[in-house]
Amino acid sequence: MSQYQIAVIVGSLRKDSFNRKLADAVVKLAPPEFTFKQVQISDLPLYNQDDDESQTASVKRLKDDIKGAQGLLFVTPEYNHSIPGVLKNAIDHASRPQGQNAWAEKPAGILGASPGVIGTAMAQQHLRNILASLDVPTLGQSDAFVHVTDGLFDEEGNIGSESKEFLQNWMDQYVAWVKKHAG
Ligand SMILES: Cc1cc2nc3c(=O)[nH]c(=O)nc-3n(C[C@H](O)[C@H](O)[C@H](O)COP(=O)(O)O)c2cc1C
């Protein structure tokens, strides 16, 4: 395979989300054969199993974006020591109806940013549990619990010098992981 399309799922709807900024910046560290698309989760209805046979256009769009990708990149905040409800809602939608789990076998990387020092560690662990149940292989190392500091991004929105080497290393591992598992 020469080109890899990655679906990026950001777990925050906040306008000035650090995690969305991180997603925007980190993809610039990937090689040219990787392209990234942030999938929209803000317009998904609350998941209701009664609707499994009549999924909305927004749910079908999400599932098509996932199915068309060779890999997944989750970039999420931690809410109350777990993942935000909007992210879980999106995951549940694309896992259904039973037997039509769009996430299955897509290699995934997980990143998270928080102003708290160990922030997102618990959310990331919860996310790993969820993804295991959906047959999603997740990159195990390196863990990336990104601490939001003044220097995390430079003035152009790129990863700042303090975190660049660490996140470049993470991206290199992620790229190798996707290439190993995709297709
Ligand atoms: C409902 C709620 C719960 C939160 N719980 C945690 C938490 O458990 N751990 C943590 O590190 N930060 C927590 N935070 C702070 C977030 O890390 C912070 O708001 C962060 O900026 C959210 O990510 P975003 O900028 O991408 O929206 C919480 C924030 C909210 C709104």
mmCIF file of all heavy atoms in Angstrom, residues 12 14 17-19 77-81 114-115 119-120, ligand 1:
data_model
loop_
_atom_site.group_PDB
_atom_site.id
_atom_site.type_symbol
_atom_site.label_atom_id
_atom_site.label_comp_id
_atom_site.label_asym_id
_atom_site.label_seq_id
_atom_site.Cartn_x
_atom_site.Cartn_y
_atom_site.Cartn_z
ATOM 1 N N SER A 12 -13.230 16.291 21.825
ATOM 2 C CA SER A 12 -13.712 17.554 22.404
ATOM 3 C C SER A 12 -14.455 18.341 21.338
ATOM 4 O O SER A 12 -13.996 18.426 20.197
ATOM 5 C CB SER A 12 -12.536 18.401 22.922
ATOM 6 O OG SER A 12 -12.988 19.686 23.323
ATOM 7 N N ARG A 14 -15.137 21.554 22.039
ATOM 8 C CA ARG A 14 -14.840 22.932 22.449
ATOM 9 C C ARG A 14 -14.145 23.696 21.327
ATOM 10 O O ARG A 14 -13.243 23.183 20.678
ATOM 11 C CB ARG A 14 -13.930 22.870 23.689
ATOM 12 C CG ARG A 14 -13.816 24.139 24.476
ATOM 13 C CD ARG A 14 -13.125 23.835 25.816
ATOM 14 N NE ARG A 14 -11.692 23.660 25.680
ATOM 15 C CZ ARG A 14 -10.805 24.645 25.687
ATOM 16 N NH1 ARG A 14 -11.209 25.898 25.794
ATOM 17 N NH2 ARG A 14 -9.513 24.391 25.588
ATOM 18 N N SER A 17 -10.391 23.963 21.626
ATOM 19 C CA SER A 17 -9.892 22.704 22.196
ATOM 20 C C SER A 17 -8.385 22.516 21.998
ATOM 21 O O SER A 17 -7.878 22.568 20.871
ATOM 22 C CB SER A 17 -10.639 21.536 21.547
ATOM 23 O OG SER A 17 -9.938 20.325 21.761
ATOM 24 N N PHE A 18 -7.683 22.253 23.103
ATOM 25 C CA PHE A 18 -6.260 21.906 23.015
ATOM 26 C C PHE A 18 -6.071 20.605 22.236
ATOM 27 O O PHE A 18 -5.080 20.430 21.525
ATOM 28 C CB PHE A 18 -5.660 21.731 24.421
ATOM 29 C CG PHE A 18 -5.627 22.992 25.239
ATOM 30 C CD1 PHE A 18 -6.247 23.042 26.477
ATOM 31 C CD2 PHE A 18 -4.968 24.120 24.781
ATOM 32 C CE1 PHE A 18 -6.206 24.198 27.243
ATOM 33 C CE2 PHE A 18 -4.920 25.285 25.542
ATOM 34 C CZ PHE A 18 -5.559 25.327 26.775
ATOM 35 N N ASN A 19 -6.995 19.696 22.429
ATOM 36 C CA ASN A 19 -6.849 18.398 21.753
ATOM 37 C C ASN A 19 -7.023 18.523 20.249
ATOM 38 O O ASN A 19 -6.345 17.837 19.484
ATOM 39 C CB ASN A 19 -7.805 17.385 22.373
ATOM 40 C CG ASN A 19 -7.286 16.901 23.710
ATOM 41 O OD1 ASN A 19 -6.458 16.017 23.779
ATOM 42 N ND2 ASN A 19 -7.737 17.538 24.786
ATOM 43 N N PRO A 77 -9.504 14.595 25.277
ATOM 44 C CA PRO A 77 -9.341 15.011 26.675
ATOM 45 C C PRO A 77 -9.803 13.904 27.608
ATOM 46 O O PRO A 77 -10.381 12.891 27.165
ATOM 47 C CB PRO A 77 -10.265 16.219 26.821
ATOM 48 C CG PRO A 77 -11.092 16.320 25.611
ATOM 49 C CD PRO A 77 -10.665 15.247 24.657
ATOM 50 N N GLU A 78 -9.534 14.125 28.875
ATOM 51 C CA GLU A 78 -10.070 13.263 29.932
ATOM 52 C C GLU A 78 -11.158 14.051 30.648
ATOM 53 O O GLU A 78 -10.927 15.201 31.030
ATOM 54 C CB GLU A 78 -8.946 12.918 30.910
ATOM 55 C CG GLU A 78 -9.376 12.075 32.098
ATOM 56 C CD GLU A 78 -8.152 11.597 32.868
ATOM 57 O OE1 GLU A 78 -7.434 10.715 32.348
ATOM 58 O OE2 GLU A 78 -7.893 12.116 33.965
ATOM 59 N N TYR A 79 -12.330 13.445 30.782
ATOM 60 C CA TYR A 79 -13.405 14.053 31.560
ATOM 61 C C TYR A 79 -13.691 13.149 32.751
ATOM 62 O O TYR A 79 -14.097 11.985 32.561
ATOM 63 C CB TYR A 79 -14.685 14.180 30.716
ATOM 64 C CG TYR A 79 -14.775 15.386 29.801
ATOM 65 C CD1 TYR A 79 -13.725 16.291 29.651
ATOM 66 C CD2 TYR A 79 -15.950 15.621 29.079
ATOM 67 C CE1 TYR A 79 -13.840 17.389 28.807
ATOM 68 C CE2 TYR A 79 -16.070 16.716 28.238
ATOM 69 C CZ TYR A 79 -15.014 17.595 28.101
ATOM 70 O OH TYR A 79 -15.134 18.676 27.265
ATOM 71 N N ASN A 80 -13.468 13.680 33.944
ATOM 72 C CA ASN A 80 -13.785 12.923 35.158
ATOM 73 C C ASN A 80 -13.198 11.513 35.118
ATOM 74 O O ASN A 80 -13.868 10.509 35.341
ATOM 75 C CB ASN A 80 -15.300 12.917 35.394
ATOM 76 C CG ASN A 80 -15.825 14.333 35.575
ATOM 77 O OD1 ASN A 80 -15.191 15.146 36.238
ATOM 78 N ND2 ASN A 80 -16.944 14.646 34.961
ATOM 79 N N HIS A 81 -11.921 11.489 34.721
ATOM 80 C CA HIS A 81 -11.125 10.260 34.698
ATOM 81 C C HIS A 81 -11.624 9.223 33.705
ATOM 82 O O HIS A 81 -11.381 8.013 33.869
ATOM 83 C CB HIS A 81 -10.988 9.663 36.108
ATOM 84 C CG HIS A 81 -10.115 10.485 36.998
ATOM 85 N ND1 HIS A 81 -9.782 10.122 38.273
ATOM 86 C CD2 HIS A 81 -9.480 11.664 36.796
ATOM 87 C CE1 HIS A 81 -8.984 11.040 38.815
ATOM 88 N NE2 HIS A 81 -8.804 11.989 37.931
ATOM 89 N N SER A 114 -3.873 17.570 28.354
ATOM 90 C CA SER A 114 -4.574 18.119 29.507
ATOM 91 C C SER A 114 -3.678 19.128 30.210
ATOM 92 O O SER A 114 -2.455 18.951 30.251
ATOM 93 C CB SER A 114 -4.927 16.994 30.490
ATOM 94 O OG SER A 114 -5.366 17.550 31.715
ATOM 95 N N PRO A 115 -4.283 20.157 30.797
ATOM 96 C CA PRO A 115 -3.493 21.050 31.649
ATOM 97 C C PRO A 115 -3.000 20.346 32.907
ATOM 98 O O PRO A 115 -2.066 20.808 33.551
ATOM 99 C CB PRO A 115 -4.480 22.169 32.015
ATOM 100 C CG PRO A 115 -5.597 22.054 31.022
ATOM 101 C CD PRO A 115 -5.668 20.611 30.644
ATOM 102 N N GLY A 119 -2.812 14.169 33.258
ATOM 103 C CA GLY A 119 -4.121 14.183 32.607
ATOM 104 C C GLY A 119 -4.152 13.326 31.360
ATOM 105 O O GLY A 119 -3.169 13.253 30.643
ATOM 106 N N THR A 120 -5.252 12.683 31.167
ATOM 107 C CA THR A 120 -5.653 11.797 30.061
ATOM 108 C C THR A 120 -5.148 10.364 30.229
ATOM 109 O O THR A 120 -5.521 9.511 29.437
ATOM 110 C CB THR A 120 -5.316 12.319 28.634
ATOM 111 O OG1 THR A 120 -3.964 12.069 28.305
ATOM 112 C CG2 THR A 120 -5.703 13.770 28.442
HETATM 113 C C1 LIG B 1 -16.408 17.829 32.592
HETATM 114 C C2 LIG B 1 -14.903 17.968 32.704
HETATM 115 C C3 LIG B 1 -14.184 17.020 33.396
HETATM 116 C C4 LIG B 1 -12.773 17.088 33.449
HETATM 117 N N1 LIG B 1 -12.067 16.096 34.055
HETATM 118 C C5 LIG B 1 -10.709 16.060 33.920
HETATM 119 C C6 LIG B 1 -9.957 14.926 34.348
HETATM 120 O O1 LIG B 1 -10.496 13.955 34.865
HETATM 121 N N2 LIG B 1 -8.620 14.940 34.156
HETATM 122 C C7 LIG B 1 -7.979 16.011 33.573
HETATM 123 O O2 LIG B 1 -6.768 15.968 33.402
HETATM 124 N N3 LIG B 1 -8.658 17.110 33.167
HETATM 125 C C8 LIG B 1 -10.018 17.146 33.318
HETATM 126 N N4 LIG B 1 -10.738 18.217 32.869
HETATM 127 C C9 LIG B 1 -10.000 19.387 32.339
HETATM 128 C C10 LIG B 1 -9.679 19.197 30.878
HETATM 129 O O3 LIG B 1 -8.465 18.497 30.757
HETATM 130 C C11 LIG B 1 -9.578 20.552 30.192
HETATM 131 O O4 LIG B 1 -10.812 21.246 30.275
HETATM 132 C C12 LIG B 1 -9.149 20.436 28.744
HETATM 133 O O5 LIG B 1 -8.854 21.717 28.234
HETATM 134 C C13 LIG B 1 -10.225 19.757 27.889
HETATM 135 O O6 LIG B 1 -9.714 19.451 26.617
HETATM 136 P P1 LIG B 1 -9.960 20.403 25.331
HETATM 137 O O7 LIG B 1 -9.157 21.671 25.552
HETATM 138 O O8 LIG B 1 -9.455 19.608 24.168
HETATM 139 O O9 LIG B 1 -11.432 20.672 25.246
HETATM 140 C C14 LIG B 1 -12.119 18.174 32.832
HETATM 141 C C15 LIG B 1 -12.877 19.150 32.162
HETATM 142 C C16 LIG B 1 -14.238 19.048 32.091
HETATM 143 C C17 LIG B 1 -15.029 20.089 31.315
#
